[in-house]
Amino acid sequence: MRRTAVRCGSGGFGVDGAGAQRLRIAVLGPVRAWYDGPPLDVGPVRRQAVLAALALRPGTLVSHEQLLDDVWGAQPPGSGRRVLPSYVYPLRKALDTAGAGPAGSVIRSVRGGYRFVGDGVRLDTAELAERVGAAQHAKASDDPATAMDRLADALALFRGEPLAGLPGPFAQGERRRLTRLRRTLQQERLECLVRLGRSADALDDLAALAATDPYDEPLAALRIRALYGSGRQAAALGAYQDVRARLRDELGVDPGEELRRTHQAVLRRDDELLLGPAPARSPAPSRPPRRTVNELPGDTGRLIGREHELALLTAPPPPGSVAVVAVDGTAGVGKTALVVHAARALRAHHPDGCLFTDLRAHSTEQRALPPQRVLRRLLRSLGAADGEAPDDLDELTAAWRAATSSLRLLLVLDDVLSAQQIRPLLPAGPGSTVLVAGRRRLAGLDTDRRVTLEPLETGDGLSLLRHIVGSERADREPDATRELVHLCDGLPLALRIAGARLQTRPAWTLAYLVDRMAGDEHRLGELSAGDRSVEAAFRLSYDQLAPEQQRGFRTLGRSPTVEFDPLTPAAALGCAYREAEEILESLVDASLLQQPRPGRYRLHDLVRVHARRLAEAAPTEGDEGRTAALRLYLDAGRVTSDWGPDGFPTGPRPGAAPFADWQEAAGWLEAAGGELVDVVGHAVALGEVDHACWIAEALSDYFARQGRYHECRTALETALAHADRATDRRMAPALRNRMGLTDLYLGRYAEARAWFTEALHLSRHHADRYEEAGARCGLGAVELNLGRPEQVIPAVTAAVEAARRLDAHWLAAQGLVLLGTAHHVQGRYDQALTCYAAALAHAETNGRPRMISKVLTCTADVHLALGAHGRSKALYRHAADLAQQVGDVLLHAIILTRHGTAEHGEGNLNAAADLHHQALSQHRTLCPRTEPHRDRLEMDIRARLGRAYSAAGRVAEAREQFRTALALPGADAHPEERAQALAGLDACADR
């Protein structure tokens, strides 16, 4: 059985019997899910919001409309409820046990909506209700001690803001409700402390709560009672006067009855009303007087841009336990400065002292401190004599815990290497807090909160640099200031060193320092001042890695992209995927690698420079690895291409590529985002010109299919500039053919003809029959788009014959589609259908759904023209499924609207209108900046929709569609579609 979990960060809420595997969902913090193993991937926040809206209504039918309102509110997605399955399906995949199937899923599809099946699912909100119920029962039984414990248990389930980060009205409403409940429980627990005679222990938490709502009168009354119970009657009376003045001055009201009654009770010294019956109260234990220790270092430098992290570190600790908060991050990111600022803010909560210890895990001058030595120093700080401390670690640990059992201490442990260093140092006193800072993520340490410190955002980096060098000096060179922040990539240490260099060299301009940092070979060298060096800090982290981790880190310095998954380093290292993933995760734990989202990794810019320098110091180590990494992108591009991996005449044949099918390869390329173009440039920089050309060619079809024409041109131009150096002579005409196709898609017909003509001359010169046939097809496509179908048939017929001789099925299918279209536009329908039938045979042999979809669409167009609406509908339906499968939005929208016209032809006007609206929904997802056919397609769809409305007698709606089509900014550039809209308007005027 699969193991799953939705965890909100609560420290485990309820445990089933031994061996039980129960789905658990936690929402009292960041949403998480699990069974009895690691957390499940419940996806991005919008998908989590869908889960929350269903899981928090177990057994209730949630309609599609309600779910859309819950998650999207006033801005529903353009595709309406059709978007919901794309959120529900991955949730089922993550949460359901193996083989559950639709009938056994935790999310059941019901007519009109979904129902979350709560049987066998444990929500932390249900656990919260049980614990709160137990607390209420104890209160009703006049047992404040038990009630306080149960309330503390309930509060322990909250691990941050409920439903943290989730969008939508439902999540917002639940977040407000649960936050209010949490505050109520906190107040009730403090009430129990007062009734138990422990008023002093409640004061700090009461002050923190009051700061969040200074107008909360019941809370103010409780604080006054706690002050009175601590023997501070005058302070209690003063607190009442403060609240009274605030209410009058800021709200214009007098204190309510409860607050006035509390005030009168303080004046009368009414212990029973203020503190409860005497038997419930127990005297606070007496403590021997001793001095309060404060060893916190002085603040050095201004803390900028860390408000969120500081708030997390200074949140009130959970009552009755020792809170451990860990901060990790790469070298120089500002961990020590953050924990020192946090410690100073927390001092008031720790009356028995604040201790600070540097464990020197990455010190170049002093050896790391063993725990025995640290414990002896900590004991001395609390007043123990040197001779009283034992030598044995276990005895020292026991002595430390005994000494701290009654104390509320704040302990800061800086530059920590491992959890083993920390465990003996944890104090025992309830209410104590330990702040841990180190480069490594200490997975073996149980913590209440973890904060991974990232480099500063650009705005905060600018603020820090302006603070160091002076705002006047920085503002004189705003561009250079911003570039310097960029070169330091937001790393505070780098910014402080750069600022210090400018401070000590007043003659330097910021632009001068930027010029000195140009190029990786100079960048780190300039970030050194005195005994501080960014590269030295990175080197200390690197030196502590195991040999296989060091090799993995050097390999990342050669990565062709900034962001990557384990597949690329696995290829470069020649190891299994899981082994590469383990190395990457260990580098994340060492804070040398960032993980922006699950399964994706990246190096900080300066860390990447350091990794590259280390890789360059071992030049023979990575030759095979770099070629293997480039081969991965080549294989992915060819596998996902419409031509298929066997459709490329030259270059490496498909090897053991780690992709099950073209969809998986396309998904891997999609995750690389906008960095794919950089892979081509990276290959050129490495001198791998053949790979640069092959990759650019392979990716061109992928880019064009997604409408990413600019990236397509950039990749091809980068490779084409070096194609003459390639050993594969086919690349010179091949890349020109691909450039011609790209310009053809963009409607740049003159430029496309020039590329195809160049490719034709080069391919003839090199006797390259494949690229010659491709160039002829390209020239035929240009003529067809220019409205000269009669010029297409001779040239393309020869190209098809050559493609057939070469078994180039994609090229043959493409040529036959061009021939069929030429026959179709000239009214020769039988010849067109013959060409399309032959094209379909080649497309099916090639097996790529996009080409099959295009052929079926063209065939359906002929049947539509012949009035065979039933036949055309079946073909359009099949073609639409294939286009949707490959994610070709443009083709899918075209097919849907033509299918609508076929339904119109059979008199199914409602079905026709629905299909046209589906086409418009697809059309809206096309990028107006990159898709040149967007306006023309919209005009065509709206004209077809208008005709359907008109035929149905919905004249006003038809007129609106025609007018909208004519009002589009590019309407005049499309005379055929404009004429259709005008004709539709004229027809409406006659009715």
Side-chain angles (χ1 to χ4, degrees):
M1 179 182 289
R2 288 186 46 192
R3 303 189 176 187
T4 314
V6 173
R7 188 177 311 183
C8 89
S10 65
F13 54 88
V15 179
D16 289 339
Q21 293 184 349
R22 192 175 190 181
L23 175 60
R24 305 178 187 278
I25 299 180
V27 298
L28 299 175
V31 171
R32 298 289 185 272
W34 73 102
Y35 278 95
D36 58 348
L40 302 174
D41 180 12
V42 289
V45 291
R46 187 83 70 181
R47 192 187 303 164
Q48 295 175 28
V50 171
L51 172 61
L54 295 171
L56 289 177
R57 298 182 179 116
T60 302
L61 170 62
V62 182
S63 69
H64 295 137
E65 292 74 17
Q66 182 63 59
L67 196 53
L68 287 171
D69 288 343
D70 287 345
V71 179
W72 281 270
Q75 295 181 320
S79 54
R81 67 183 185 182
R82 288 187 296 277
V83 77
L84 292 176
S86 67
Y87 288 82
V88 172
Y89 174 76
L91 285 173
R92 287 171 171 162
K93 188 176 180 182
L95 301 178
D96 290 346
T97 56
S105 174
V106 296
I107 302 177
R108 308 279 173 87
S109 294
V110 185
R111 183 175 182 83
Y114 298 95
R115 177 180 289 114
F116 189 89
V117 180
D119 298 338
V121 179
R122 187 64 165 165
L123 276 164
D124 61 350
T125 50
E127 181 76 10
L128 178 67
E130 292 176 7
R131 296 186 185 185
V132 171
Q136 298 298 338
H137 178 74
K139 285 181 68 177
S141 303
D142 199 25
D143 184 1
T146 300
M148 184 184 70
D149 290 341
R150 298 293 80 80
L151 287 165
D153 292 342
L155 287 165
L157 292 173
F158 288 88
R159 302 291 289 177
E161 183 184 53
L163 299 165
L166 265 59
F170 179 85
Q172 291 170 7
E174 285 297 297
R175 188 156 45 239
R176 286 193 295 268
R177 180 183 70 81
L178 292 169
T179 300
R180 287 195 299 268
L181 176 59
R182 182 183 191 181
R183 183 182 177 87
T184 300
L185 297 178
Q186 289 171 328
Q187 192 165 331
E188 290 181 3
R189 188 190 69 81
L190 297 172
E191 166 80 29
C192 292
L193 277 175
V194 172
R195 288 194 59 198
L196 290 167
R198 296 173 56 188
S199 295
D201 292 339
L203 284 174
D204 287 342
D205 291 336
L206 282 167
L209 272 181
T212 63
D213 186 359
Y215 309 108
D216 187 336
E217 292 190 42
L219 182 65
L222 181 57
R223 183 167 178 266
I224 291 170
R225 291 167 54 197
L227 287 167
Y228 177 85
S230 303
R232 300 167 61 186
Q233 184 187 24
L237 293 171
Y240 172 80
Q241 295 301 331
D242 290 343
V243 175
R244 180 172 176 267
R246 185 182 304 115
L247 291 172
R248 282 188 172 181
D249 295 343
E250 299 178 20
L251 300 182
V253 298
D254 290 323
E257 181 180 352
E258 180 183 2
L259 198 53
R260 292 197 306 271
R261 187 170 61 247
T262 302
H263 176 234
Q264 291 300 316
V266 173
L267 291 172
R268 296 192 310 269
R269 296 179 179 270
D270 188 343
D271 287 0
E272 183 164 349
L273 189 149
L274 294 168
L275 306 177
R281 304 196 298 270
S282 58
S286 60
R287 298 178 184 171
R290 64 171 191 83
R291 66 187 180 92
T292 300
V293 183
N294 180 13
E295 296 180 344
L296 296 178
D299 285 344
T300 57
R302 181 181 174 190
L303 193 68
I304 292 176
R306 300 303 191 193
E307 292 79 9
H308 175 68
E309 293 85 353
L310 192 60
L312 289 175
L313 265 59
T314 56
S321 64
V322 176
V324 180
V325 182
V327 179
D328 61 76
T330 192
V333 81
K335 301 179 293 295
T336 301
L338 177 63
V339 296
V340 169
H341 274 77
R344 291 190 171 278
L346 289 169
R347 279 179 59 189
H349 296 281
H350 302 85
D352 297 308
C354 303
L355 308 178
F356 180 92
T357 296
D358 183 354
L359 296 180
R360 306 174 188 167
H362 299 88
S363 173
T364 57
E365 300 174 356
Q366 296 174 299
R367 297 180 63 182
L369 293 176
Q372 292 94 326
R373 184 175 171 185
V374 176
L375 283 169
R376 289 193 191 94
R377 194 183 69 74
L378 291 173
L379 286 167
R380 284 198 304 273
S381 297
L382 296 183
D386 283 342
E388 297 175 1
D391 295 325
D392 181 74
L393 177 58
D394 291 339
E395 293 180 4
L396 273 169
T397 303
W400 167 247
R401 289 176 179 164
T404 59
S405 61
S406 62
L407 305 180
R408 291 175 65 185
L409 290 172
L410 174 63
L411 175 61
V412 180
L413 301 174
D414 192 26
D415 201 10
V416 172
L417 183 62
S418 67
Q420 289 83 350
Q421 282 182 299
I422 299 170
R423 293 193 188 102
L425 311 181
L426 298 179
S432 294
T433 300
V434 182
L435 296 179
V436 178
R439 300 183 186 182
R440 290 185 172 273
R441 294 184 179 177
L442 306 178
L445 180 66
D446 292 330
T447 65
D448 294 87
R449 288 184 297 279
R450 294 180 188 270
V451 174
T452 295
L453 207 56
E454 301 290 353
L456 295 172
E457 298 290 340
T458 299
D460 293 326
L462 287 168
S463 297
L464 178 57
L465 189 59
R466 292 176 78 251
H467 172 72
I468 297 171
V469 305
S471 57
E472 182 179 351
R473 186 178 182 186
D475 292 346
R476 283 199 300 267
E477 302 178 79
D479 293 339
T481 302
R482 184 172 290 274
E483 180 61 19
L484 187 54
V485 171
H486 171 72
L487 290 171
C488 294
D489 202 17
L491 194 70
L493 176 61
L495 288 165
R496 291 189 181 280
I497 291 175
R501 301 203 74 193
L502 291 166
Q503 283 178 337
T504 57
R505 293 163 176 80
W508 283 17
T509 63
L510 276 79
Y512 178 70
L513 179 56
V514 167
D515 288 341
R516 289 177 65 94
M517 292 176 65
D520 290 350
E521 66 276 13
H522 303 299
R523 193 169 172 188
L524 285 176
E526 290 295 325
L527 292 175
S528 176
D531 61 351
R532 295 192 299 176
S533 165
V534 172
E535 186 160 29
F538 293 157
R539 185 71 195 218
L540 287 169
S541 296
Y542 171 80
D543 288 343
Q544 291 187 348
L545 299 175
E548 66 273 12
Q549 294 171 325
Q550 291 183 339
R551 180 172 174 241
F553 182 71
R554 292 193 298 271
T555 298
L556 298 182
R558 306 183 185 94
S559 173
T561 58
V562 172
E563 193 177 293
F564 42 84
D565 70 348
L567 211 53
T568 306
L573 290 168
C575 66
Y577 180 96
R578 185 65 63 184
E579 184 180 349
E581 185 179 45
E582 289 175 358
I583 292 173
L584 295 178
E585 288 293 332
S586 70
L587 294 175
V588 171
D589 288 339
S591 292
L592 282 169
L593 191 61
Q594 297 170 316
Q595 192 171 32
R597 58 186 186 276
R600 302 293 297 179
Y601 305 86
R602 72 183 303 276
L603 290 168
H604 180 278
D605 278 0
L606 294 175
V607 177
R608 184 182 304 106
V609 174
H610 179 56
R612 190 175 299 130
R613 286 160 70 104
L614 290 171
E616 289 169 354
T620 60
E621 183 180 67
D623 290 346
E624 290 186 8
R626 76 183 188 188
T627 302
L630 293 174
R631 176 67 185 276
L632 191 64
Y633 288 91
L634 173 61
D635 285 347
R638 288 189 167 184
V639 167
T640 195
S641 167
D642 260 6
W643 310 319
D646 296 319
F648 295 83
T650 58
R653 308 309 302 160
F659 307 109
D661 50 34
W662 68 265
Q663 291 103 322
E664 189 173 308
W668 186 76
L669 292 173
E670 179 68 24
E675 291 194 75
L676 287 176
V677 173
D678 297 335
V679 177
V680 178
H682 181 77
V684 170
L686 293 175
E688 298 273 4
V689 175
D690 282 288
H691 270 94
C693 294
W694 292 329
I695 292 170
E697 178 192 35
L699 291 177
S700 63
D701 179 65
Y702 169 79
F703 282 138
R705 187 164 68 238
Q706 294 196 328
R708 294 159 64 178
Y709 303 114
H710 175 73
E711 292 171 80
C712 185
R713 286 182 62 85
T714 302
L716 289 169
E717 287 169 351
T718 301
L720 192 56
H722 304 274
D724 291 342
R725 293 164 45 204
T727 59
D728 185 351
R729 304 311 303 167
R730 185 180 68 86
M731 286 297 98
L735 295 178
R736 287 170 170 82
N737 272 332
R738 304 292 87 76
M739 284 290 289
L741 281 175
T742 305
D743 279 334
L744 188 66
Y745 295 141
L746 289 168
R748 298 155 52 101
Y749 302 125
E751 292 86 347
R753 179 190 281 121
W755 286 117
F756 289 132
T757 301
E758 285 186 34
L760 183 62
H761 293 326
L762 283 171
S763 58
R764 285 173 172 172
H765 178 72
H766 295 299
D768 188 331
R769 303 300 178 218
Y770 183 93
E771 296 304 330
E772 181 182 351
R776 288 182 179 278
C777 282
L779 289 168
V782 170
E783 296 298 331
L784 191 60
N785 279 277
L786 289 174
R788 295 194 285 265
E790 67 281 355
Q791 302 293 323
V792 175
I793 295 176
V796 176
T797 299
V800 169
E801 291 172 356
R804 282 171 165 164
R805 287 194 297 271
L806 295 167
D807 285 333
H809 296 289
W810 178 88
L811 188 56
Q814 182 76 359
L816 286 163
V817 166
L818 289 170
L819 289 175
T821 305
H823 286 304
H824 181 183
V825 298
Q826 294 180 86
R828 296 192 292 269
Y829 297 134
D830 289 341
Q831 293 95 319
L833 289 173
T834 300
C835 290
Y836 292 149
L840 184 61
H842 284 288
E844 288 177 337
T845 300
N846 198 42
R848 293 306 164 119
R850 183 166 177 260
M851 177 55 79
I852 297 173
S853 177
K854 289 168 65 176
V855 176
L856 292 175
T857 301
C858 291
T859 307
D861 290 344
V862 175
H863 287 294
L864 184 63
L866 291 170
H869 300 119
R871 177 60 179 156
S872 65
K873 282 166 52 179
L875 290 168
Y876 283 135
R877 197 175 293 117
H878 188 189
D881 290 341
L882 293 172
Q884 186 175 29
Q885 177 184 336
V886 298
D888 191 324
V889 177
L890 179 68
L891 179 60
H892 191 206
I894 291 170
I895 297 169
L896 287 171
T897 197
R898 293 183 184 178
H899 185 186
T901 300
E903 293 286 0
H904 185 167
E906 283 200 334
N908 303 322
L909 299 178
N910 289 336
D914 185 57
L915 283 163
H916 294 316
H917 279 294
Q918 290 181 44
L920 282 174
S921 294
Q922 290 289 308
H923 165 272
R924 290 188 193 101
T925 66
L926 294 170
C927 178
R929 297 187 306 276
T930 60
E931 180 49 65
H933 304 293
R934 191 175 188 273
D935 287 346
R936 182 179 181 184
L937 175 59
E938 183 175 357
M939 292 180 71
D940 181 56
I941 297 171
R942 291 193 182 278
R944 293 172 189 265
L945 177 58
R947 289 195 294 272
Y949 278 153
S950 181
R954 299 160 64 176
V955 179
E957 293 168 275
R959 188 180 294 114
E960 180 185 358
Q961 293 300 323
F962 294 133
R963 286 174 175 169
T964 302
L966 292 169
L968 289 172
D972 291 341
H974 309 296
E976 183 178 343
E977 287 73 18
R978 187 171 184 276
Q980 291 175 1
L982 288 170
L985 269 181
D986 289 342
C988 288
D990 294 338
R991 299 183 64 175

